[in-house]
Amino acid sequence: MTADRELRVSKISSGTVIDHITSGQALNVLAILGIDGTDGEVVSIGMNVPSDRLGTKDIVKVEGRELSQSELDVLSLIAPVATINIIRDYDVVEKHRVDRPTEVTGVLQCPNHNCITTEDEPVDSHFEVLDDGVRCVYCDTIIREDLAAHILV
Ligand code: CTP
Ligand code: ZN
């Protein structure tokens, strides 16, 4: 990134920078992380920021926060090429790409009201991850759009 673009969202001293988020998904990323600002977290958001690699991207910087594996799994579904940067003392001390899992359990709600996972039975939702969506392994319902609206966590 060029220096003038860097200025758009300032550097943080410690925390997590979620970079290369698919444009338009930043607020969904915050929803996945359960961040709505009411707990006083310091959060910076860039939306539709120019990116050499992606054309445009979103970016989310959360100070003093690391992410769990299940948060990363769900994140990868809406932002498959996101980069997770752990920042300490202003330095990037860890950088990893999110991994697109082959399946996700217990993180998405099946939209089929007759699905065994949406009834009273204690059955966790279980989706197979496809190239263009996810498929419920119990009832074969496919979710292709707006995955974030189906997130349970
Ligand atoms: N960053 C930050 N605060 C810091 C250090 C880095 O907010 N103290 C941000 C940068 O603005 C950038 C991301 O963390 O968006 C990754 O930083 P860095 O690895 O230095 O940038 P790039 O080399 O551009 O990353 P990549 O190769 O992943 O595109
Ligand atoms: Zn189902």
Side-chain angles (χ1 to χ4, degrees):
M1 265 201 275
T2 58
D4 60 334
R5 289 178 186 169
E6 279 292 311
L7 291 175
R8 223 179 276 274
V9 185
S10 41
K11 291 198 178 286
I12 62 173
S13 61
S14 72
T16 303
V17 174
I18 307 160
D19 197 3
H20 306 116
I21 298 168
T22 309
S23 269
Q25 295 297 331
L27 293 181
N28 288 329
V29 167
L30 291 178
I32 289 166
L33 303 182
I35 292 172
D36 64 5
T38 57
D39 292 333
E41 309 95 328
V42 180
V43 177
S44 318
I45 305 170
M47 288 183 187
N48 301 314
V49 176
S51 159
D52 293 341
R53 239 189 286 165
L54 303 176
T56 62
K57 66 176 182 182
D58 285 1
I59 183 164
V60 168
K61 304 187 180 190
V62 188
E63 301 196 32
R65 168 81 184 262
E66 303 212 351
L67 309 183
S68 70
Q69 191 57 51
S70 69
E71 287 171 330
L72 291 175
D73 282 353
V74 188
L75 232 159
S76 72
L77 297 178
I78 63 161
V81 298
T83 315
I84 310 297
N85 299 276
I86 310 294
I87 314 293
R88 288 193 198 122
D89 209 7
Y90 286 98
D91 288 334
V92 178
V93 294
E94 267 178 55
K95 182 189 289 281
H96 32 97
R97 289 276 296 270
V98 294
D99 267 336
R100 198 169 168 80
T102 56
E103 51 180 31
V104 288
T105 302
V107 294
L108 294 171
Q109 173 146 40
C110 183
N112 171 8
H113 297 296
N114 296 317
C115 179
I116 187 166
T117 64
T118 60
E119 290 173 351
D120 290 338
E121 326 285 330
V123 179
D124 276 348
S125 73
H126 186 173
F127 288 84
E128 179 190 352
V129 177
L130 313 172
D131 287 341
D132 61 345
V134 296
R135 175 169 54 220
C136 177
V137 301
Y138 294 102
C139 72
D140 281 342
T141 298
I142 292 180
I143 312 175
R144 282 210 176 81
E145 271 156 33
D146 204 9
L147 279 178
H150 300 277
I151 287 165
L152 285 166
V153 286

